[in-house]
Amino acid sequence: MIKIDVISDTICPWCFIGKRNFEKAISQVPGIEVKFSYSTFQLNPNFPKEGVDKKEYISRKFNNDHYSNMKERIKDEAIKSGISISNNTLTIIPNTFNSHKLILWSKEYDCHTEIVENLFKAYFEDSKDISNVDILLEIAENSGMDKRIIKQKFLDDLDNEIIIEEERKNRENGVMGVPTYIINDGITLTGSQPVDSLVRLLEHINSD
């Protein structure tokens, strides 16, 4: 069994692309067994709970040419990975803290990677505000989690400290961007990797 710890954020397009690329690579390596575990890294930890206006944020952070080139590159890589992220019409960039709590809680159920996938799809493909608890409850229920239990956890504001500490440790351990992959507690990959490179790496690890 190959263990892969994934440090990511739920609004990071490269994290979604990287997830799909890993899945494609795994499908090309016969007999391989892989277990993924996701932990927290917020690209924008200081966002207000309601998120920020997307246009204002983009105009503040990027110049037009840089953003346009970056958007095209992301779109091209997303299409290769089977992702339709160019249709996102959401006018805000969400705060992702609560979505990371949902990922944490999904470990109690048999839907950990499914929750991650469904959060990505909700944001990038369905233009849903994944800071909204009602949206998160819908995703939880559709992924096989107990909606009533999860709703109560949100109402009780549980496990904030766990998420804060998880992110603190990731940053303390030198994580500066996402996605970051730690394979079998040793090999570290940063950024979304091409499928063929992942296939070669997984074949090498699986043959040891």
Side-chain angles (χ1 to χ4, degrees):
M1 174 72 74
I2 296 174
K3 175 190 169 194
I4 303 179
D5 294 310
V6 188
I7 302 159
S8 68
D9 198 4
T10 49
I11 58 167
C12 165
W14 294 112
C15 295
F16 193 8
I17 293 165
K19 179 179 183 297
R20 289 289 183 85
N21 286 355
F22 250 111
E23 289 166 352
K24 286 187 175 186
I26 289 166
S27 72
Q28 295 178 36
V29 183
I32 195 170
E33 290 185 67
V34 178
K35 182 177 181 181
F36 289 94
S37 180
Y38 284 80
S39 66
T40 306
F41 188 100
Q42 294 181 94
L43 291 171
N44 304 290
N46 298 318
F47 269 12
K49 284 186 177 181
E50 65 275 13
V52 300
D53 182 89
K54 183 186 283 186
K55 283 185 179 178
E56 286 184 13
Y57 176 82
I58 289 169
S59 66
R60 253 192 348 258
K61 186 161 185 179
F62 305 105
N63 68 56
N64 288 337
D65 287 342
H66 176 72
Y67 180 71
S68 179
N69 291 337
M70 181 180 69
K71 191 174 178 181
E72 281 303 307
R73 183 168 168 244
I74 290 170
K75 180 182 175 181
D76 290 345
E77 291 301 318
I79 289 169
K80 289 180 192 174
S81 302
I83 301 168
S84 303
I85 66 172
S86 58
N87 298 322
N88 187 311
T89 58
L90 198 64
T91 58
I92 66 161
I93 300 176
N95 179 303
T96 60
F97 190 82
N98 278 338
S99 69
H100 285 291
K101 290 208 289 187
L102 190 62
I103 292 170
L104 173 70
W105 297 333
S106 73
K107 292 179 181 181
E108 301 169 20
Y109 298 82
D110 190 25
C111 62
H112 185 54
T113 54
E114 186 177 354
I115 279 287
V116 174
E117 173 74 16
N118 289 342
L119 284 165
F120 282 140
K121 287 173 72 174
Y123 176 62
F124 287 108
E125 297 187 333
D126 301 331
S127 302
K128 291 186 176 180
D129 177 6
I130 57 171
S131 65
N132 184 304
V133 169
D134 289 335
I135 297 294
L136 294 176
L137 290 174
E138 177 187 304
I139 293 168
E141 185 173 41
N142 291 340
S143 303
M145 299 174 76
D146 190 315
K147 183 178 178 179
R148 290 171 300 172
I149 291 174
I150 300 305
K151 183 176 182 178
Q152 194 58 52
K153 283 176 180 284
F154 277 123
L155 288 171
D156 293 339
D157 210 19
L158 296 181
D159 296 331
N160 292 343
E161 300 82 4
I162 293 176
I163 296 299
I164 291 167
E165 179 63 11
E166 194 173 79
E167 178 159 16
R168 186 194 67 78
K169 282 186 177 177
N170 284 333
R171 291 181 184 274
E172 190 178 76
N173 288 335
V175 176
M176 300 177 68
V178 287
T180 294
Y181 306 93
I182 303 170
I183 304 174
N184 287 343
D185 297 319
I187 300 168
T188 298
L189 301 177
T190 56
S192 173
Q193 304 292 317
V195 174
D196 55 352
S197 297
L198 292 173
V199 169
R200 289 194 296 271
L201 175 63
L202 292 171
E203 286 176 338
H204 174 72
I205 295 170
N206 202 41
S207 65
D208 287 348

